[in-house]
Amino acid sequence: MERLQKVIAHAGITSRRKAEEYIVNGRVKVNGKIVRELGTQVGKNDMVEVDDVPIYKEEYGYYLFYKPKGVISAVSDDKGRKVVTDYFTHIKERIYPVGRLDYDTSGLLLLTNDGEFSQKLTHPSHEIDKVYVAKVKGLAKKHDFLPLTKGMKIDGYKTAPAAFQIISVDLKTNTSIVELTIHEGRNHQVKKMLQAVGYPVQKLKRERYGDLTLKGLRPGEYRNLNKKEISVLMNQSK
């Protein structure tokens, strides 16, 4: 069961706020009867009409996608570049990415058409671990990364404490592989954090989101989230 205004908004008729106005003004019917109560709950089998026109209630879809490098985290691009939804052409739901990964960053990205799910996961208060693996310039030394664990000032804001692990160091190429775990998702945050401690990022991949991993997927492939995974994500979000 869902709130009536949410069902109307999700059908693409109008915004949720406008949908509330429609309900109060008597423009909405449920099973043939005008409903003016904003808290009204409707189920899959209920017939909802706006101005006597039945609405199409789209099923929710939840997908875990292995975003390749060089793809935009959007549903369209005015420069004609490839976007993540280009990989979902046969999916009937009008899905969109939850948050974003940079154009040149690969890895785990969620897509859905459930606005409440997306809003919960992208809210600044959520505390879901996001694990990134970065190839950085320089020979990584543990003490250089300690400021990340306390939070640091970037672009006028202080980051939340992060966790790190130095995976490997390559003397020949003067590069290192570093794992960074954060809770936030600001624009270019991981790159800026590593740059700030003296290790410019050359390559970046998001390996994990909460308990979700890329296991079994190759770049450009996706799978459906199961009910347990969806529930865990919703419960991890505040």
Side-chain angles (χ1 to χ4, degrees):
M1 301 288 283
E2 289 183 299
R3 285 177 175 268
L4 181 56
Q5 55 265 44
K6 181 181 176 183
V7 171
I8 295 170
H10 187 257
I13 304 297
T14 186
S15 67
R16 193 178 301 193
R17 184 172 293 180
K18 276 286 186 183
E20 292 175 351
E21 291 180 17
Y22 287 7
I23 295 168
V24 172
N25 292 332
R27 296 173 61 181
V28 179
K29 291 180 181 178
V30 176
N31 301 323
K33 295 181 180 180
I34 293 175
V35 173
R36 297 178 186 268
E37 291 292 324
L38 294 179
T40 300
Q41 299 277 330
V42 293
K44 291 182 178 179
N45 297 322
D46 289 317
M47 170 64 76
V48 178
E49 297 173 86
V50 177
D51 294 335
D52 296 320
V53 178
I55 68 169
Y56 167 65
K57 289 181 284 186
E58 190 175 72
E59 292 290 328
Y60 286 138
Y62 308 86
Y63 302 94
L64 188 161
F65 177 53
Y66 188 158
K67 186 186 99 63
K69 181 180 177 181
V71 177
I72 302 291
S73 295
V75 298
S76 62
D77 180 61
D78 55 10
K79 296 179 182 177
R81 293 171 295 183
K82 197 156 193 173
V83 297
V84 290
T85 48
D86 288 339
Y87 293 84
F88 294 81
T89 52
H90 64 290
I91 298 296
K92 64 180 180 179
E93 301 97 356
R94 296 168 293 177
I95 59 174
Y96 48 86
V98 178
R100 66 188 298 277
L101 288 177
D102 293 339
Y103 177 75
D104 57 353
T105 297
S106 64
L108 197 158
L109 184 68
L110 301 178
L111 291 95
T112 188
N113 57 347
D114 183 344
E116 184 179 356
F117 176 80
S118 179
Q119 188 174 20
K120 266 201 164 188
L121 266 58
T122 54
H123 194 276
S125 68
H126 81 76
E127 296 182 354
I128 297 175
D129 282 348
K130 300 170 186 176
V131 180
Y132 294 80
V133 173
K135 180 181 180 182
V136 299
K137 185 177 181 181
L139 305 178
K141 300 177 181 64
K142 184 177 179 180
H143 65 82
D144 290 335
F145 292 85
L146 293 179
L148 300 176
T149 65
K150 300 173 184 178
M152 56 195 304
K153 275 279 187 81
I154 294 178
D155 293 342
Y157 70 89
K158 187 175 182 181
T159 64
F164 74 91
Q165 181 180 349
I166 298 171
I167 297 174
S168 64
V169 174
D170 190 328
L171 295 172
K172 289 184 179 180
T173 60
N174 189 39
T175 59
S176 304
I177 304 296
V178 179
E179 181 183 278
L180 191 66
T181 302
I182 66 172
H183 298 309
E184 303 163 297
R186 296 175 185 266
N187 198 26
H188 305 305
Q189 182 172 343
V190 172
K191 293 176 183 176
K192 288 177 179 178
M193 290 172 73
L194 292 172
Q195 175 77 41
V197 295
Y199 294 93
V201 172
Q202 296 184 341
K203 193 175 182 181
L204 186 63
K205 177 183 178 185
R206 182 153 73 186
E207 292 272 7
R208 186 161 63 84
Y209 190 103
D211 295 327
L212 302 174
T213 70
L214 294 165
K215 184 178 180 181
L217 296 178
R218 293 178 295 182
E221 294 183 338
Y222 64 88
R223 68 171 179 82
N224 289 280
L225 293 182
N226 60 45
K227 289 183 178 180
K228 181 180 179 182
E229 290 170 332
I230 296 165
S231 177
V232 168
L233 285 170
M234 290 292 275
N235 290 330
Q236 283 178 319
S237 300
K238 292 184 178 181

